[in-house]
Amino acid sequence: MDALSGAEPRRDRDRLDAPSSGARAPVTPWARFSAWLECVCVVTFDLELGQALELVYPSDFRLTDKEAALGTRSSASEFASVEGRGAPGTPMTGSTTARLPCPCRQVKDSSVKRGYFQKSVVLVSRLPFVRLFQALLSLIAPEYFDKLAPCLEAVCNEIDQWPAPVPGQTLNLPVVGVILQVHVPSRVDKPESSPLKQCGQENLLPAPLVLTSVHELDLFRCLQPVLTHVQTLWELMLLGEPLVVLAPSPTMSSEMVLALTSCLQPLQFCCDYRPYFTIHDSEFKEFTTRTQAPPNVVLGVTNPFFIKTLQHWPHILRVGEPKMSGGLPKQVKLKKPSRLKTLDTKPGLYTAYTAHLRRDKALLKRLLRGLQKKRPAGVLTALLRRHLLELTQSFIIPLEHYMASLMPLHKSISPWKTPPQIRPFHQDDFLCSLEHAGPQLTCILKGDWLGLYRRFFKSPHFDGWYRQRRKEMAHKLEALHLEAICEANIETWMEGKSEVEVVDLVQKLREKLVRAQGHQLPVKEETLQQAQLYIETVIGSLPKDLQAVLCPP
């Protein structure tokens, strides 16, 4: 399903896609704006009062207490809160929080005790379009700081004219004299393809600023300090292990966390992650307590204080300012947790974890050689992303094949019987199947694949993947059963049946139609029409009094 997922905006206005009855209703105020952003905030910092929301636009938008707290902390952290539920066309199990760099301006002001005032522009959105919002902020913030509130109102009005972010479409989005050309991601997009096409650029003045992706970061740049351990980090992400990323700035912290959590594509990241976590966050006590095991969370932090409070976490990645060594990025070293010091902790991956798979040295050589030859960053990012994509696919394909074998055969589905059940997933049976249908068929990497799968079974990602696949299979099974009913001869079935049995069939067919439409089952429109025709045929065969009961006026 390529529907945009997300919570309903907390705004006293209708949604753009709200159903209308009768004549087409006029578009409600800010309906198109709501499809992209919840609101735009301006946060100011006061030495005595701390951070405070100075302006929220549109003014009728209501922030929750938690969102307001996140937004106000953005002023000091130089980060904005973007609340999202995944790219369009991707299944999501719950809301997540992501953050991106937020423009912050400091200007000398003798009337202020601190000597200057400090303000930030913050975007709040349900969509995880980090790259798009970074570009948008870079255009909006300078204009706002120069022209203040009237400029912000004008920008919001421009966004309110944007077309809806329909998955699969390439859109031109005008704002402050610039046209942003973006492609909205969709399920049907092929991994590592470049679906963005130049659409009508010859008629656009000025020429559009083309964003190759609305949500993907420059993976190679973000992961430069950890290239030698990217496979170990991929395993930690796959297993949903608790990980702390300690970086020198909120930008590095945020980008490292977002890059790591994107390494599992196309597998959905089902754990919690906080690209920029501070001591003011409401979960601070929960995450720092030593009375229970650390949660399955990836935390991005900048305060060295966390080295002490999170010392019991099993994996801590300490990265420093980007440095070059011999023309190559300096790599962090793998270190034992016992070497972690409260003060002056050197960059490194502090963990006792031993990777199950051997390192791909050929990949590292290709990346470093490309860097030495000054190949474009986009090429190196594509190379790294393709490697991680193929690695994830090699791991997931055997699971997909085994899961497909649990689906009942088509010939076992009878129109007049309850559809057969999907067989249970037996881990031992799956592990036995790996000998002839394992990841070694598509991946050259050697190692303990069985051990990796065994640990994966205990992770939130297996639970999320299995629940989603089982739900999809159940919908498919229900759709096949409805198709079998529509292909059968309903009049032959009704011969010799009692009125109770016929009425029961009507109720069941109606329930199936409601589920097919409500759950958006993979059923053709012709099948739905045939099911409706069957209902009318069956009701027409009943006495008038029963017809009146089943079809009240």
Side-chain angles (χ1 to χ4, degrees), residues 339-354:
R339 297 184 61 185
L340 193 65
K341 298 178 181 179
T342 304
L343 299 175
D344 195 28
T345 298
K346 294 182 179 180
L349 176 56
Y350 295 83
T351 178
Y353 178 83
T354 302

Side-chain angles (χ1 to χ4, degrees), residues 123-193:
L123 300 183
V124 180
S125 174
R126 294 173 294 115
L127 303 176
F129 294 168
V130 179
R131 288 278 293 276
L132 170 61
F133 295 142
Q134 282 179 336
L136 191 58
L137 278 170
S138 68
L139 296 171
I140 293 176
E143 289 288 319
Y144 168 76
F145 289 134
D146 289 340
K147 303 174 184 177
L148 301 181
C151 169
L152 203 59
E153 181 178 358
V155 166
C156 291
N157 280 313
E158 280 190 294
I159 296 174
D160 194 38
Q161 301 302 313
W162 287 3
V166 178
Q169 288 194 356
T170 298
L171 306 175
N172 292 312
L173 310 175
V175 62
V176 295
V178 176
I179 297 176
L180 299 174
Q181 188 171 106
V182 302
H183 175 81
V184 183
S186 167
R187 280 176 183 261
V188 299
D189 291 342
K190 293 182 179 180
E192 284 309 302
S193 65

Side-chain angles (χ1 to χ4, degrees), residues 65 121 204 281 337 438 513 533:
D65 292 341
V121 179
L204 295 176
D281 281 271
L513 271 179
L533 181 62

Side-chain angles (χ1 to χ4, degrees), residues 447-516:
D448 183 12
W449 287 98
L450 288 178
L452 188 58
Y453 279 112
R454 288 192 180 98
R455 290 195 63 166
F456 178 71
F457 290 145
K458 302 174 184 177
S459 76
H461 290 124
F462 172 73
D463 182 67
W465 171 86
Y466 177 72
R467 287 175 183 272
Q468 180 64 27
R469 288 296 175 268
R470 189 171 179 84
K471 179 181 177 181
E472 292 172 355
M473 290 170 66
H475 285 175
K476 180 63 176 177
L477 191 59
E478 196 169 359
L480 291 174
H481 189 232
L482 183 58
E483 290 176 359
I485 292 175
C486 293
E487 292 171 358
N489 191 322
I490 193 75
E491 295 177 351
T492 302
W493 177 86
M494 287 192 299
E495 293 176 0
K497 293 296 186 296
S498 66
E499 291 181 355
V500 173
E501 291 175 299
V502 174
V503 171
D504 184 59
L505 175 64
V506 171
Q507 298 294 349
K508 288 183 177 178
L509 279 175
R510 281 179 169 171
E511 290 173 3
K512 284 186 175 295
L513 271 179
V514 170
R515 286 198 299 270

Side-chain angles (χ1 to χ4, degrees), residues 333-372:
K333 296 181 179 180
L334 196 63
K335 301 183 179 182
K336 295 181 179 179
S338 58
R339 297 184 61 185
L340 193 65
K341 298 178 181 179
T342 304
L343 299 175
D344 195 28
T345 298
K346 294 182 179 180
L349 176 56
Y350 295 83
T351 178
Y353 178 83
T354 302
H356 291 78
L357 305 180
R358 296 175 187 172
R359 184 186 303 174
D360 189 345
K361 296 181 180 179
L363 169 71
L364 185 60
K365 289 180 180 178
R366 291 177 65 187
L367 290 172
L368 297 181
R369 191 182 305 119
L371 190 61
Q372 286 178 321

Side-chain angles (χ1 to χ4, degrees), residues 79 222 225 245 247-257 275 319-322:
F79 267 69
C222 296
V245 175
S249 71
T251 300
M252 287 189 65
S253 162
S254 178
E255 291 188 339
M256 179 64 76
V257 171
V319 293
E321 294 290 349

Side-chain angles (χ1 to χ4, degrees), residues 324-336:
M324 302 299 287
S325 177
L328 299 175
K330 191 172 183 179
Q331 299 293 291
V332 302
K333 296 181 179 180
L334 196 63
K335 301 183 179 182
K336 295 181 179 179

